[in-house]
């Protein structure tokens, strides 16, 4: 008997975004019992949705269509009203493996998920990571937006694992076809870009469909994958290399450069006001600091143990996104050499010249 069969009852928390794709991929195996665990009030708690605008109603309708499709595909649907350990324990009854697919705003709720998993006898918990690890930055005057990820990882290792709940941490870097490329400064519709700093540090990238393949593969190999960290990167590139592709230029045309200190000041200003734009600036600073590379401390990548995954290079992902983006090239952007903020002039002599000087 295949020992992996002892983990054939899987629950995925979250039915939108990655959650939807994980559920579809797991159901497609035809080997697993799959349960979709979702918040009964999920659509009412999303920030920035005005009820009078009809957006909440539309999101609720979209969610009901997703749930109906999942039922049709063979998934069991379980809803919880509050993110408490008791609610999650009830939702996880009879489940062996829990895969969390909550977004960044829901990361802290995973502590209650872990407690619920422990209470009901779940054996394996895979937290919602699928990005980069959190490392503290000395310049940050307050906790990083990614700090809760560390709290969850530590809780799994120090509290849950000794009590019999295994875990697997998965880092895949950035997924340009899942996130908005503009969040890291790539404006594909106008074929322009904004770069914070020099853009010379490596960044790990894995497209969304490879992330889904990876998670589905891991779930079906518990005896190999439990109590370890998996690092998988489809490709690694510097931001300046991607900017060349995004702007279709070699000499920094249609690129705005912002110096690091200016970006830090802007981040702090927006973060104090809890402005959501602060996270975009933080993401760009994180990349410039070198923390966008999932193995920046020379940890080995685990790509070799997933030979069936045909990793798509980020250049291919970016070209695919550009092809599917509608808009006039360089609209509202003057075709002048890398235009910069005044402060940025102290750290660069123009993006195009730097490309040539470094032969990139």
């Amino acid at each position: 008997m295949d020992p992996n069969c002892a983990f054939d009852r899987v629950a995925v928390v979250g039915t939108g975004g990655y959650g939807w794709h994980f559920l579809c991929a797991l159901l497609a195996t035809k080997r697993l019992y799959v349960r979709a665990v979702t918040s009964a009030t999920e659509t009412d708690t999303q920030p920035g949705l005005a009820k009078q605008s009809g957006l909440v109603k539309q999101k609720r309708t979209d969610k009901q269509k997703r749930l109906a499709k999942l039922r049709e595909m063979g998934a069991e649907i379980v809803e919880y009203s509050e993110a408490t350990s008791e609610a999650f324990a009830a939702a996880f009854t009879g489940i062996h493996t829990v895969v969390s697919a909550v977004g960044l705003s829901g990361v802290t709720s995973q502590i209650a998920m872990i407690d619920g998993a422990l209470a009901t006898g779940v054996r394996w918990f895979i937290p919602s990571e699928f990005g980069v690890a959190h490392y503290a930055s000395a310049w940050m005057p307050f906790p990083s937006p990614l700090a809760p990820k560390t709290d969850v990882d530590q809780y799994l290792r120090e509290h849950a694992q000794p009590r019999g709940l295994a875990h697997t941490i998965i880092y895949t870097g950035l997924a340009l076809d899942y996130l908005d490329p503009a969040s890291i400064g790539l404006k594909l519709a106008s074929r322009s870009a904004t770069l914070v700093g020099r853009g010379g540090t490596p960044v790990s990238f894995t497209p969304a469909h490879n992330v889904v393949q990876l998670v589905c593969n891991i779930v079906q190999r518990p005896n190999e994958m439990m109590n370890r960290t998996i690092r998988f990167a489809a490709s690694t590139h510097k931001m300046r290399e991607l900017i060349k592709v995004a702007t279709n230029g070699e000499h920094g045309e249609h690129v705005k450069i912002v110096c690091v200190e200016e970006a830090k000041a802007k981040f702090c200003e927006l973060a104090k006001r809890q402005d959501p734009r602060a996270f975009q600036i933080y993401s760009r600073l994180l990349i410039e600091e070198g923390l966008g590379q999932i193995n920046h401390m020379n940890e080995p990548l685990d790509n070799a143990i997933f030979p069936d995954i045909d990793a798509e290079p980020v250049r291919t992902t970016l070209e695919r996104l550009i092809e599917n983006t509608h808009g006039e090239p360089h609209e509202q952007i003057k075709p002048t050499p890398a235009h910069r903020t005044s402060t940025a002039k102290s750290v660069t002599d123009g993006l195009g010249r730097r490309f040539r000087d470094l032969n990139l």
Side-chain angles (χ1 to χ4, degrees), residues 82-105:
E82 295 183 24
T84 63
S85 58
E86 294 79 11
F88 286 123
F92 297 156
T93 299
I95 291 295
H96 305 142
T97 303
V98 171
V99 179
S100 171
V102 296
L104 185 60
S105 62

Side-chain angles (χ1 to χ4, degrees), residues 178-193:
Y178 185 77
L179 303 171
D180 180 0
S183 66
I184 60 170
L186 304 177
K187 304 166 188 177
L188 304 186
S190 60
R191 300 302 297 271
S192 61

Side-chain angles (χ1 to χ4, degrees), residues 185-186 191-200 238-258 288 336-340 344-345 347-360:
L186 304 177
R191 300 302 297 271
S192 61
T194 300
L195 174 66
V196 170
R198 300 180 180 276
K238 298 173 182 178
M239 279 301 300
R240 61 178 70 163
E241 296 167 347
L242 297 191
I243 285 175
K244 286 185 184 182
V245 179
T247 63
N248 194 29
E250 289 286 331
H251 306 304
E253 295 89 348
H254 317 294
V255 180
K256 177 182 178 181
I257 301 176
V258 180
E288 179 62 14
T336 56
H339 57 153
R340 303 152 284 171
K345 293 179 182 178
V347 296
T348 175
D349 189 31
L351 184 63
R353 179 170 178 180
R354 186 162 68 248
F355 279 156
R356 291 195 296 275
D357 289 348
L358 299 181
N359 296 314
L360 295 176

Side-chain angles (χ1 to χ4, degrees), residues 7 18 22 43 64 83 160 173 246 254 281 310 329 348:
F7 292 82
Y18 271 134
F22 293 160
T43 54
Q64 291 307 315
H254 317 294
I281 299 177
D310 184 12
T348 175

Side-chain angles (χ1 to χ4, degrees), residues 69 86 108 172 193 196 209 250 263 274 300 309 342 359:
K69 182 63 177 176
E86 294 79 11
T108 55
T172 54
V196 170
H209 68 275
E250 289 286 331
Q274 297 187 331
I309 297 178
S342 58
N359 296 314

